[in-house]
């Protein structure tokens, strides 16, 4: 969802392969000491079996410099796979990070931060000696390395059968098969034909809400989420009989880029997301972690902003950061298959390119796309990043036209070695594909082959007549849907489901709440 004008106005004043990615330099601090010449803070943002995400911040305490090179040695055989904040390289144990062409100026007292994803084997001991342009640096005490912990355990259409020409003379001796009972709590979801199934093989539907905030609050400098995410507020969602919560995220906040305030980036942001995921699971609901806002400058047709940073919806994810984001997220949650991955909120390369073929090729394959001025990460790149991390979690792949167009989804869908891929679709009353005829023509063929989730449904009328139609069409076919959004915004422009985080609904939200409660009394 592109955020409502009211919200945008309210918040507007806020402020490798080795990946070579851009990084901004923090402002110069006055009164920097002369010795040591530099100071380095090294920390582990997140760790999993065999890998981790690290962060390095360098403070230049000496004379201003026009170019910099950070060097350090890994003491335990760690190997960098992806990095950002400069050009990363490694030879044996020695790692070198060199500035980009545009961010080499590092004044006295200025800081620069970078991040990386690396592998480790027997131990993940932190490096202790760093140099800046060959000069030894002092170090702040590194954060303790976390120890990996084990997670808490947790129809395809057929042709009608021709009736027998002779009725049976004896009754069958085998009683009819009883459908499997669903597992209790949030399930580990698997794609079975065109259905979601749990560990018992029971068919499951994802029915619930979006919980917006994690995509914009951090980049605008206000916090992690918009409104409370304590246990009571999550329980209020469950009290609507929702079984799924979609959680939009920001890649720059997760990866810890310098343009985000330190208290809202990297490890603190990751911890906040993990805490909300844990609360959703504790209330028996499925968490869908979704990438909403990404890096990359786009000023073409339907541009949401001219900012290179992840401060609005971009037409496609960028190759610069998004594969690293999904590598880290996949490693964070891969041992808990109750967590679902939604690759990218609302692609719209069709607004930038001149033909549908170009748009769908860009969507799947990425690279250099007509009309988009940054290198794109295609849906196949992101599926590959998730699976390369060893995650077999359910992955949702959206379509074009702000996820409202699935017309060629089956033709261009990514290849998934895990076979656990489903289609995601969004619909509002103001979208192009917003009536039953379009749904029957473009959605039904997709839903006949793979599970289909309407990741966002809504309307800007402050009523629920439109989503009532959506829910009926989806109910008739056993499909899944999530209302936008569990936030106390203006339901005319949001749309918003609630007026209070205790679950008090808007006139729009009443329709979803009562419908979910009727489905699951």
């Amino acid at each position: 969802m592109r955020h409502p004008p009211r919200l945008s106005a309210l918040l507007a004043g806020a402020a490798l392969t080795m990946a070579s990615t851009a990084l901004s330099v923090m402002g110069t601090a006055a009164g920097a000491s002369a010795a040591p010449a530099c100071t380095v803070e090294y920390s582990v943002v997140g760790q999993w079996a065999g890998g981790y995400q690290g962060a390095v911040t360098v403070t230049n305490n000496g004379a201003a410099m026009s170019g910099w090179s950070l060097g350090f040695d890994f003491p335990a055989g760690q190997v960098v796979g992806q990095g950002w904040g400069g050009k990363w390289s490694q030879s044996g144990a020695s790692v070198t990070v060199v500035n980009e062409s545009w961010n080499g100026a590092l004044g006295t007292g200025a800081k620069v931060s970078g991040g990386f994803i690396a592998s480790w084997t027997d131990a993940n001991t932190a490096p202790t000696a760093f140099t800046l342009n060959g000069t030894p640096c002092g170090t702040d005490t590194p954060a303790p390395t976390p120890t990996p912990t084990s997670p808490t355990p947790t129809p395809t259409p057929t042709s009608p059968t021709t009736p027998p020409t002779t009725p049976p003379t004896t009754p069958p001796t085998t009683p009819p098969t009883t459908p499997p009972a669903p597992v209790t709590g949030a399930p580990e979801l698997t794609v079975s034909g065109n259905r979601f199934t749990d560990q018992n093989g029971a068919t499951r539907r994802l029915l619930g809400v979006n919980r917006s905030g994690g995509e914009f609050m951090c980049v605008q400098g206000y916090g992690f989420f918009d409104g409370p995410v304590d246990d009571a507020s999550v329980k209020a969602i469950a009290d609507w009989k929702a079984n799924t919560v979609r959680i939009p995220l920001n890649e720059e906040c997760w990866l810890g880029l310098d343009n985000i305030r330190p208290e809202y980036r990297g490890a603190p942001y990751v911890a906040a997301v993990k805490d909300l995921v844990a609360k959703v699971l504790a209330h028996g609901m499925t968490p869908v972690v979704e990438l909403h806002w990404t890096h990359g400058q786009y000023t073409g047709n339907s541009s949401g902003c001219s900012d290179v940073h992840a401060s609005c919806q971009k037409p496609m994810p960028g190759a610069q950061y998004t594969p690293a984001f999904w590598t880290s997220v996949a490693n964070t949650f891969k041992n808990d298959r109750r967590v679902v991955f939604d690759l990218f909120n609302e692609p719209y390369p069709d607004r930038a390119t001149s033909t549908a073929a170009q748009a769908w090729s860009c969507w799947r394959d990425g690279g250099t796309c007509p009309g988009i001025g940054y290198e794109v990460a295609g849906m196949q790149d992101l599926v590959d990043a998730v699976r390369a991390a060893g995650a077999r979690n359910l992955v949702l792949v959206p379509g074009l036209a702000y996820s409202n167009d699935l017309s060629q989804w089956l033709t261009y869908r990514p290849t998934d070695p895990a076979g656990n891929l489903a289609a995601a679709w969004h619909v509002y009353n103001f979208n192009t594909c917003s009536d039953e005829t379009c749904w029957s023509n473009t959605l039904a063929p997709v839903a006949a082959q793979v599970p289909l989730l309407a990741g966002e449904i809504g309307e800007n009328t402050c009523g629920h007549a439109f989503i009532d139609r959506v829910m009926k069409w989806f109910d008739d076919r056993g499909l899944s849907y999530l209302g936008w959004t569990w936030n106390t915004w203006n339901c005319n422009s949001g749309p918003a489901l609630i007026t209070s985080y205790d679950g008090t609904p808007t006139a729009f939200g009443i329709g979803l709440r009562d419908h979910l409660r009727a489905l699951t009394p």
Side-chain angles (χ1 to χ4, degrees), residues 231-276:
D231 188 73
S233 67
V234 176
K235 180 180 182 297
I237 299 175
D239 287 345
W240 276 30
K241 300 300 182 180
N243 65 26
T244 302
V245 179
R246 183 170 176 259
I247 305 170
L249 302 181
N250 184 297
E251 72 180 11
E252 291 186 335
C253 300
W254 182 280
L255 293 175
L257 271 65
D258 266 354
N259 57 295
I260 311 299
R261 289 176 58 173
E263 61 266 38
Y264 302 137
R265 73 183 190 212
Y269 182 83
V270 171
V273 173
K274 290 171 67 176
D275 183 65
L276 178 54

Side-chain angles (χ1 to χ4, degrees), residues 18 27 39 45 54 87 149 168 178 193 226 257-258 313 319 350 368 417 421 426-427 434 451-452:
M18 295 219 175
T39 306
V45 175
K87 300 180 178 74
T149 57
T178 302
D226 178 39
L257 271 65
D258 266 354
Q313 179 67 49
D350 48 295
T368 301
L421 208 66
H426 295 182
V427 68
S434 59
L452 173 61

Side-chain angles (χ1 to χ4, degrees), residues 395-437:
V395 169
L396 303 173
V397 184
L400 296 186
Y402 300 98
S403 299
N404 186 241
D405 177 8
L406 297 183
S407 60
Q408 297 189 48
W409 193 96
L410 292 173
T411 301
Y412 286 88
R413 63 175 158 179
T415 301
D416 179 18
N420 209 20
L421 208 66
W425 181 71
H426 295 182
V427 68
Y428 294 86
N429 57 309
F430 46 82
N431 285 143
T432 300
C433 189
S434 59
D435 60 57
E436 290 80 355
T437 299

Side-chain angles (χ1 to χ4, degrees), residues 23-29 58-69 85-87 98-113 132-133 258:
L23 177 75
S24 58
V25 179
M26 295 182 185
T28 302
V58 183
T59 304
N60 176 26
N61 300 322
M65 55 186 67
S66 59
W68 53 267
S69 175
K87 300 180 178 74
V98 179
N99 64 274
E100 297 283 357
S101 60
W102 58 270
N103 73 340
L106 194 61
T108 302
K111 296 176 183 285
V112 64
S113 295
L132 185 64
N133 289 353
D258 266 354

Side-chain angles (χ1 to χ4, degrees), residues 20-348:
S20 170
T21 57
L23 177 75
S24 58
V25 179
M26 295 182 185
T28 302
S33 62
C38 46
T39 306
V40 174
E41 303 168 43
Y42 177 96
S43 62
V44 174
V45 175
Q47 181 169 300
W48 48 89
Y52 72 106
Q53 180 181 334
V56 181
T57 298
V58 183
T59 304
N60 176 26
N61 300 322
M65 55 186 67
S66 59
W68 53 267
S69 175
L70 174 70
F72 63 90
D73 288 353
F74 278 127
Q78 299 99 319
V79 177
V80 174
Q82 297 171 294
W84 49 94
K87 300 180 178 74
W88 290 72
S89 61
Q90 183 170 351
S91 177
S94 299
V95 176
T96 302
V97 189
V98 179
N99 64 274
E100 297 283 357
S101 60
W102 58 270
N103 73 340
L106 194 61
T108 302
K111 296 176 183 285
V112 64
S113 295
F116 61 92
I117 293 172
S119 61
W120 61 281
T121 50
D122 296 330
N124 188 15
T125 308
T128 56
F130 298 84
T131 62
L132 185 64
N133 289 353
T135 302
C137 299
T139 57
D140 286 352
T141 304
T145 300
T147 303
T149 57
S150 301
T152 303
T154 59
T156 303
T158 58
S159 302
T161 304
T162 303
T165 55
T166 305
T169 55
T170 57
T173 56
T174 304
T177 302
T178 302
V183 299
T184 301
E188 295 180 1
L189 292 166
T190 300
V191 169
S192 300
N194 67 343
R195 299 174 297 132
F196 294 125
T197 56
D198 63 20
Q199 303 96 302
N200 291 350
T203 297
R204 306 297 292 259
R205 297 175 67 195
L206 302 183
L207 302 168
V209 303
N210 285 262
R211 179 63 178 90
S212 182
E215 72 274 36
F216 64 83
M217 289 292 283
C218 58
V219 74
Q220 294 171 346
Y222 291 126
F224 299 118
F225 298 103
D226 178 39
V229 288
D230 57 5
D231 188 73
S233 67
V234 176
K235 180 180 182 297
I237 299 175
D239 287 345
W240 276 30
K241 300 300 182 180
N243 65 26
T244 302
V245 179
R246 183 170 176 259
I247 305 170
L249 302 181
N250 184 297
E251 72 180 11
E252 291 186 335
C253 300
W254 182 280
L255 293 175
L257 271 65
D258 266 354
N259 57 295
I260 311 299
R261 289 176 58 173
E263 61 266 38
Y264 302 137
R265 73 183 190 212
Y269 182 83
V270 171
V273 173
K274 290 171 67 176
D275 183 65
L276 178 54
V277 166
K279 286 185 172 71
V280 170
L281 288 169
H283 284 280
M285 297 183 290
T286 293
V288 178
V289 292
E290 173 263 322
L291 178 56
H292 213 83
W293 282 3
T294 54
H295 182 277
Q297 190 167 38
Y298 174 73
T299 58
N301 185 26
S302 300
S303 170
C305 64
S306 59
D307 190 7
V308 69
H309 292 297
S311 59
C312 68
Q313 179 67 49
K314 304 299 171 67
M316 283 292 289
Q320 199 166 27
Y321 292 116
T322 307
F325 168 88
W326 276 116
T327 297
S328 179
V329 171
N331 276 303
T332 300
F333 295 115
K334 68 182 180 182
N335 291 326
D336 193 340
R337 289 187 56 186
R338 297 174 298 174
V339 181
V340 176
F341 301 154
D342 190 349
L343 293 181
F344 188 63
N345 178 45
E346 292 183 344
Y348 60 98

